[in-house]
């Protein structure tokens, strides 16, 4: 997410080395140095894929891969796993896209999920107990970041609707508020005082009940790596990616519309609904097209990220900007 305005000493993006060139250069350098650096590179690759450190084994690991739900089809190739798991937004661990190493400091077990607020019985459930009682499946989803990059990922998890059912919201509940972990020791970004930590996001109860809303526990047929939001994150594929909170620890049912972290910082640019729409530009850049992670190809952005058949009925006016930032 880009909040800062470019300062005098920063070069414009158009003058920076294009990412594809940079990547090729990295590949070239890795190849040239391969003979002497091989052990180091291998260690690095292992680190990127590691989900749990010694002593915090994931007791659900042998449940993967989950059976794929074929209802959710893609119009593009899957993003290579190496790209989807190494180009991340996770501000708890830094403002760059390269937070894989930093994110490994987050302890994933024990991990408790609190479900509270306007529900029949507030409770705290261990993540592994929660996973074991949910209907598990794999879905192929597009993901569109508000920054205009996109990926296509096989997520593993369960429908958010199943968790809503478990929670038994009372008749007054209208929204779900998702709160991510708070751990300043593991996540240095959380010591940056001008972000109102912890990360918060929210959806309406109707959005939560929509078939598309998915709680993610894994990707590419195994538990999700830390940098992608393990052990529990959201996937709301018709919305800009910042709505899909990672590292979730608390889900509160409420009658108050939640204010997300980005909305709290810059409400004129990052709203509550944040549905993808190429017709409404971000105040500082176009949303008409997106860059695919991996290939680097630019493709036209689709209304609701191509998921209109599932969600269009939730929003009364496709010309109302309120729903599209
Ligand atoms: N969740 C938390 N807790 N912290 C974050 O910084 N970034 C969001 C979202 N969820 C973010 C977060 C943004 S802007 C995007 S695009 C996606 O996570 C990125 O998910 P990915 O790193 O798995 O691609």
């Amino acid at each position: 997410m880009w909040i800062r305005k470019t300062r005098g000493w920063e070069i414009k993006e158009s003058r920076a080395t294009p990412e594809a060139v940079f990547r090729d250069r990295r590949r070239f350098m890795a190849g040239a140095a391969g003979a002497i650096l091989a052990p180091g590179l291998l260690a690095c690759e292992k680190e990127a894929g590691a989900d749990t450190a010694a002593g915090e084994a994931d007791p659900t690991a042998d449940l993967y891969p989950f059976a794929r739900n074929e209802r959710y089809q893609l119009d593009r190739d899957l993003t290579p796993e190496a790209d989807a798991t190494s180009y991340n937004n996770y501000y708890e661990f830094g403002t760059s896209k390269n937070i894989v190493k930093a994110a490994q400091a987050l302890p994933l077990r024990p991990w408790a999920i609190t479900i509270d607020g306007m529900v029949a019985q507030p409770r705290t459930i261990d993540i592994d107990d929660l996973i074991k009682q949910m209907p598990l499946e794999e879905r192929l989803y597009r993901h569109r970041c508000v920054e205009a990059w996109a990926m296509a990922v096989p997520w593993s998890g369960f429908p958010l609707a199943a968790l809503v059912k478990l929670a038994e919201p009372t008749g007054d509940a209208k929204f779900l508020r998702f709160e991510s972990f708070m751990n300043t020791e593991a996540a240095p970004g959380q010591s940056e005082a001008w972000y109102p930590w912890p990360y918060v996001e929210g959806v309406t109860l109707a959005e939560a009940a929509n078939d598309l809303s998915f709680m993610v526990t894994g990707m590419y047929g195994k538990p999700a790596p830390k940098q992608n939001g393990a052990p529990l994150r959201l996937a709301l594929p018709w919305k800009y990616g910042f709505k899909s909170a990672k590292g979730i620890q608390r889900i509160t049912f409420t009658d108050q519309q939640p204010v997300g972290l980005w909305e709290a910082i810059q409400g004129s640019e990052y709203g509550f609904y944040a549905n993808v729409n190429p017709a409404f530009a971000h105040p500082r850049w176009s949303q008409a097209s997106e860059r695919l992670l991996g290939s680097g190809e630019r493709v036209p952005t689709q209304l609701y990220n191509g998921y209109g058949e599932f969600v269009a009925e939730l929003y009364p006016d496709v010309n109302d900007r309120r729903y599209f930032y």
Side-chain angles (χ1 to χ4, degrees):
M1 305 282 282
W2 303 327
I3 295 292
R4 289 177 313 145
K5 297 232 170 14
T6 309
R7 299 188 196 127
W9 44 267
E10 291 174 312
I11 59 169
K12 288 207 174 96
E13 193 186 26
S14 57
R15 297 193 56 201
T17 308
E19 190 185 353
V21 175
F22 170 70
R23 278 173 178 273
D24 278 353
R25 182 173 161 270
R26 271 210 326 197
R27 232 172 265 145
F28 166 76
M29 288 174 72
I36 39 171
L37 287 183
L41 286 171
L42 283 177
C44 209
E45 275 163 21
K46 194 158 164 267
E47 193 168 52
D51 356 283
T52 46
E56 51 165 344
D58 180 345
T60 66
D62 58 0
L63 299 176
Y64 295 82
F66 303 168
R68 182 171 299 172
N69 183 337
E70 299 292 349
R71 185 174 175 209
Y72 306 97
Q73 298 287 334
L74 291 176
D75 60 347
R76 56 188 67 168
D77 290 341
L78 277 178
T79 302
E81 182 179 350
D83 293 297
T85 58
S86 65
Y87 185 91
N88 299 102
N89 271 335
Y90 211 164
Y91 274 64
E92 285 87 336
F93 299 102
T95 54
S96 85
K97 299 287 182 273
N98 182 14
I99 52 77
V100 172
K101 197 166 176 216
Q104 305 317 305
L106 182 67
L108 296 191
R109 296 292 188 284
W111 189 280
I113 307 292
T114 296
I115 300 173
D116 63 1
M118 296 174 161
V119 294
Q121 185 72 57
R123 68 184 94 189
T124 296
I125 316 179
D126 177 75
I127 182 68
D128 301 311
D129 294 339
L130 177 67
I131 290 172
K132 283 176 193 154
Q133 53 182 292
M134 289 290 112
L136 304 174
E137 60 184 61
E138 179 180 79
R139 296 183 180 186
L140 308 184
Y141 272 180
R142 291 184 292 275
H143 172 98
R144 170 58 156 84
C145 179
V146 73
E147 296 164 345
W149 56 266
M151 59 184 181
V153 177
W155 298 118
S156 312
F158 54 87
L160 176 54
L163 187 140
V164 171
K165 197 170 160 210
L166 176 82
E168 295 182 71
T170 64
D172 296 333
K174 293 188 176 61
F175 301 94
L176 276 70
R177 177 184 182 277
F178 297 88
E179 190 177 298
S180 301
F181 72 91
M182 190 70 203
N183 183 340
T184 47
E185 228 166 82
Q190 292 187 323
S191 299
E192 296 285 341
W194 70 281
Y195 291 103
W197 302 109
Y199 199 92
V200 166
E201 262 310 335
V203 294
T204 66
L205 193 54
E207 290 175 326
N210 188 274
D211 285 351
L212 273 185
S213 297
F214 201 55
M215 299 291 325
V216 168
T217 61
M219 60 198 293
Y220 297 92
K222 45 189 187 270
K226 296 186 182 192
Q227 63 271 22
N228 290 92
L232 190 66
R233 69 169 288 170
L234 271 167
L236 305 167
W238 73 103
K239 292 180 177 290
Y240 292 119
F242 69 88
K243 296 294 296 181
S244 294
K246 310 205 272 197
I248 293 169
Q249 277 193 338
R250 185 172 175 199
I251 303 167
T252 305
F253 289 75
T254 168
D255 58 1
Q256 305 293 309
Q257 183 170 303
V259 179
L261 177 135
W262 296 112
E263 189 182 358
I265 297 173
Q266 195 95 324
S268 60
E269 300 192 349
Y270 307 103
F272 173 75
Y273 287 100
N275 298 316
V276 176
N277 187 340
F280 287 97
H282 182 278
R284 287 179 286 136
W285 58 84
S286 165
Q287 296 290 23
S289 68
E290 62 207 42
R291 176 179 55 88
L292 304 183
L293 290 192
S295 69
E297 194 190 337
R298 271 214 102 80
V299 300
T301 292
Q302 304 170 60
L303 179 60
Y304 298 116
N305 201 20
Y307 293 103
E309 62 175 299
F310 294 92
V311 296
E313 65 184 23
L314 292 171
Y315 312 104
D317 185 357
V318 81
N319 296 311
D320 186 345
R321 179 178 181 263
R322 189 163 71 97
Y323 296 116
F324 301 106
Y325 74 102

